[in-house]
Amino acid sequence: MQNSIDVLKRMETESKRFINIEKEGVIEEFHQCVFEEIFRKGMGYTFCSPMDWNDDQQLYIVNHKLKIKTTLDEVDEISAANRLFRDSTKQKVKDSDIEWGIIISPKGIWLFNNNIGKGKSEFQTKKTVLEIVYGINSDQYYFDFFSYNNILGRKLNTYFFKDIAEYRNCYYKGSEKSWPAYSSAIKRFIKYCSMDRGMDYLKSETDSIYDAIELPDFYEYIAKKTKLRKENTLKSAFFYIKGFMSCVSDKGIFNISTKEMLDGFSRTLKQNERQNVIDVNKLKKAIQYLGTGNNRERDTAMFLMELSFGLERRKLRSLKWEENFDLNDDGSIGDIFKLEGKKIRVPEELIRALNRLRALGVGGDYVFYRTRDNGEEPMREDVINDVFSKLTKIDPKDDYYKSLTPANIRSSLVRYLLRQGTPLEKIIHLMNIEIWNLGNYISLEDIDCLIEQRNEKEGHPMEEFLEKLK
């Protein structure tokens, strides 16, 4: 998929040609130029199947779950959504069972969901999930969530925004005037959690993705993605987000006072989110400590897995034996780790730990199982947190063990490997880091410092090339 910002800019530029012109005979050109050549190719819809053209309604139906319509008409959200979610044939008109809808016009692009709860709110979004009107500060920041991958593909992260729309309709208690501030704060935080933190939306009857979002995620979002530092603005942002999170999560993590929030945020800044936790002697103590617990095989293997690949918690818990590892004929673990189409070598110490875990004979596909009696379900994220949290018992006075979290290990691993001389492209491949997200792990200042420490005195890398131009 192409860079979504570039795709949106191209759509806006190309669409200007079709404003205030005669409609007859032009809709085909608009459909071809804006939808086929830009949106469909740029947002991942090129290879999706089935993608059927409905001649009666003059629109595409994708995977029997999404309607996409191009139009030159003015778009009134309510009437447009109502028409979109009707199935019209020559014989009859009936309610559609298709969930998602996209309308593309020369003035913008709209995303609708047919299953949003209506509630009793005096002002409602009805079926609108996201609205981008060119030239107006609307939802351009969230154009990524119009992609095939986020609506119908592997991630399904557009459901986050469907939930926000439903919150507005059914649970939000504030005024219509205040909603834009609430909406902006919630959407930006949710985008950070899904795209920067890798928390993909999962539909599950037992686990809620919102239960995995914790206060440190909010603190990191404020520190890394905003310039909010004044007490009143921090309080407002937290108040807006707290209302939504308290509604969608049963754990009540965000049900704290603003004073407790400010204290927690202050502690987070003092601990320094970029703290280096790659300390061989202390990591030895951590592994030894995990080797004494009731789930020592599982916890030790998980800890070594984290040190080897720096996986996010959600990916860690979803690993499966046959899907993610090459298995030998005798059922033991081979030396290849498979993740999202890549094959990566596994360190010998990790192979030994995984084989000890596999030798327990816990039934089920998941590597890191929920309990020894329940290997059919993955380990919960809060249990992963508990495994790392109990390391503080090694030395309650040493803050190092408090900072030994998956997030800190991941960021520390990037800088450690760079200091060891590992090429940056190999680190990106090994740890599955998106290029646009690299700044969350290492800064230009870090790079400059590494170069200075190496005391490299060789000439400019283009020296020989320029000599050839003489």
Side-chain angles (χ1 to χ4, degrees), residues 414-429:
V414 174
R415 297 192 294 280
Y416 171 77
L417 291 172
L418 274 174
R419 287 196 299 272
Q420 299 303 305
T422 307
L424 186 57
E425 66 271 20
K426 189 169 184 178
I427 297 172
I428 292 170
H429 177 79

Side-chain angles (χ1 to χ4, degrees), residues 329-346:
D329 293 338
D330 62 358
S332 62
I333 301 297
D335 62 352
I336 296 297
F337 174 53
K338 298 176 289 187
L339 184 67
E340 297 181 1
K342 294 183 292 188
K343 293 185 177 181
I344 310 170
R345 293 286 178 184
V346 182

Side-chain angles (χ1 to χ4, degrees), residues 263-325:
D263 290 343
F265 180 62
S266 178
R267 287 194 300 271
T268 299
L269 289 181
K270 288 178 181 177
Q271 287 174 358
N272 183 2
E273 299 162 36
R274 298 176 69 83
Q275 181 176 349
N276 176 33
V277 296
I278 306 299
D279 182 317
V280 173
N281 291 327
K282 290 184 177 181
L283 288 172
K284 278 184 179 180
K285 290 182 180 179
I287 293 169
Q288 290 167 359
Y289 181 81
L290 292 174
T292 64
N294 292 331
N295 290 293
R296 51 185 172 274
E297 292 87 359
R298 183 195 68 182
D299 296 350
T300 301
M302 183 180 69
F303 192 75
L304 291 173
M305 192 80 197
E306 187 62 34
L307 285 173
S308 300
F309 298 101
L311 297 176
E312 295 99 337
R313 291 169 297 181
R314 182 157 290 275
K315 290 181 180 177
L316 197 63
R317 69 187 289 267
S318 64
L319 295 179
K320 295 182 178 180
W321 290 116
E322 294 190 6
E323 182 178 318
N324 296 109
F325 294 95

Side-chain angles (χ1 to χ4, degrees), residues 8 12-13 16 19 106-108 132-138 140:
L8 186 60
E12 180 175 2
T13 300
K16 289 178 180 178
I19 295 177
K107 294 187 177 180
I132 295 175
V133 180
Y134 302 139
I136 296 177
N137 185 20
S138 47
Q140 284 88 339

Side-chain angles (χ1 to χ4, degrees), residues 12 15-16 18-19 30 71-73 104-108 134:
E12 180 175 2
S15 294
K16 289 178 180 178
F18 297 92
I19 295 177
F30 175 72
T71 180
L72 297 179
D73 296 332
I104 300 172
S105 91
K107 294 187 177 180
Y134 302 139

Side-chain angles (χ1 to χ4, degrees), residues 385-408:
N385 295 336
D386 291 342
V387 171
F388 284 88
S389 295
K390 68 183 180 183
L391 295 174
T392 59
K393 297 177 182 178
I394 297 172
D395 186 350
K397 296 181 180 179
D398 190 342
D399 287 340
Y400 168 85
Y401 294 103
K402 295 178 183 178
S403 62
L404 204 53
T405 64
N408 273 336

